[in-house]
Structures are given as C-alpha cells and as structure tokens.
Amino acid sequence: PDIPQNPPPAGLPLHQADGDHHGAGGAGGGGGDEPHRIEDDEDDYEEDLLLRKRGRDGEAKGAGDDPSGSGSAGAASSSGGGPGGVSVRHLLPRLLSEELRLYFTRITLAVERGNPPQVDAALLSVGRDAGIQELVPFFVRFVAKSIYDNLGKADKCRTLVRLAGRMVGNVHVHLELHLHQMLPAIITCIVARRLSSPSAPGGGGDHWSLREEASRVLVLCCRKFGDRYPTLRARSLRTLCEALGPDRPLTTRYGGVVGLSAFGPRAVDA
C-alpha cells in the first residue's frame, strides 16, 4: 500500500536522533541510556542475513525454510532462487523515508521515557494510523527485545504489551508474518515466574496487572489471526495449561488461570 507523505504525529515533541538524552516532555528516568534508534537494527539485520546464508550452505538442497523465519524481522529484498531455493527477505532501515524514521523515533521515545499522557498519545497513534506497515518489523522487534530487556520492570513491560495490543488492533496493519517474534514475548509476560524485581524502583511494578494485560493481547491475536493459523489458539491454550502444573510457582499458575479465563468459559471447561 502507498505510504502517506506525512504520517500523523504522535503529539510528541521532536527529538534529534543524534543523541538527545532527555525524556519526552522532560520525563526523566532514562538516565544516560541511548534511545532506541531504527538505525541500530541495521547491523543486526545484516548479521542475521549472513548467519542464515551460512546455515543454508550446510542444508540439503530442497530442504524447505520459512522465508519469514527466525532471523530478520523485516522484508524488503530477497536472495536465492530456482526450484527448492530459499528466499531471504530483508529490510534495511536506510530504505525507509525520513517521515517514517521520525515517526518511529517519536513513538519509541514516548514509550521509553514519556509521561503517561505522552505514552497514551503514542499508543493511540499506533492504534489508528494508516501507512505504517513498513514499520511493523521494527516495532515488533522493538517490543520483543524491550520486553526481554526489561523483565523485572512490570510497569515498563505493561506499556510495551499495550503497544503490541495497539498494533494488533490497527485495521491498517498486517502482523501475520511477525507473530512468531511477538507472541513468545507476550506469553512470557503471562506465565514467567518473576516479572517484577524488589531491587527495581517501586518494587518493579504490578506484575499481576501485566499478566492480565498480556492475556488480553494474546486473546486478541488468536481471534484476529485464528482463521489464518488454525493451531494458534490450541497452542496458546496448551502453553497456559502447562503453566498450571503443580510444580509451577504461584505467579506462573496465576498467569495460567488469568490467560485461560481470558479465552472464556469454554476454554476453562476444556
């Protein structure tokens, strides 16, 4: 689809991408940490592409592979061809327009450092804007990586889960090829043993609410993509049932109960 010339702003102040270390709207808490930049992913994508090429050298000819597979999060160019060949789809940040780069920077800065009104404005923008399909691989990668990097900070993870939910709910965005990267992080926020840390500011936040938020997003994914991926719901339910085992910690079992309850009474009865 055509990309609009100027994606709607997220209602956030413009931050220079060359090293502004202040939070959005003056909200601190980020210290001297570098903000997430879309350009930072480019080396990772190129490394992923190289590793996948090396991996294929040792595979038998004709052994299939998922072109959306476990390496790169994006899709723009392909290599390999012929019968039984493997197509590698690869997105480079430098191919994005300046408007999309700025949009991505604004949203991620708000999520990482913004105050509550700025976070809400950013999430609202992602949930309704058209023309951001090219940013989907980068947002998915940002969400998944940031969740794993912030395990123990429940409030931060909840904001990231809300961002994932907004992407799923955006009727203009297609996430089908990227669910395998996002859903493991979402499920982690449901059944992980520890999602808050006593050493984190404020005790790490309310991990109970995080599990509930992540459960709602998981259900939304299954409802939206269940027709295309018939086993998605069953696999998700199986994971949640495994979290109810007697050897599991209380927090994990709570996540399993909350997750199953979010799917409705039929899932609970089953």
Side-chain angles (χ1 to χ4, degrees), residues 170-188:
N170 190 329
V171 297
H172 306 290
V173 166
H174 303 282
L175 286 171
E176 291 89 338
L177 298 180
H178 309 285
L179 289 177
H180 67 286
Q181 293 178 304
M182 188 172 70
L183 285 183
I186 299 300
I187 294 176
T188 295

Side-chain angles (χ1 to χ4, degrees), residues 197-198 200-205:
S197 173

Side-chain angles (χ1 to χ4, degrees), residues 228-263:
R228 178 164 297 189
Y229 301 108
T231 63
L232 178 59
R233 177 186 171 93
R235 292 168 62 186
S236 299
L237 291 173
R238 183 168 62 248
T239 300
L240 295 173
C241 288
E242 291 173 353
L244 300 177
D247 59 331
R248 303 294 186 179
L250 174 62
T251 51
T252 297
R253 281 184 282 174
Y254 176 83
V257 170
V258 169
L260 289 173
S261 300
F263 277 94

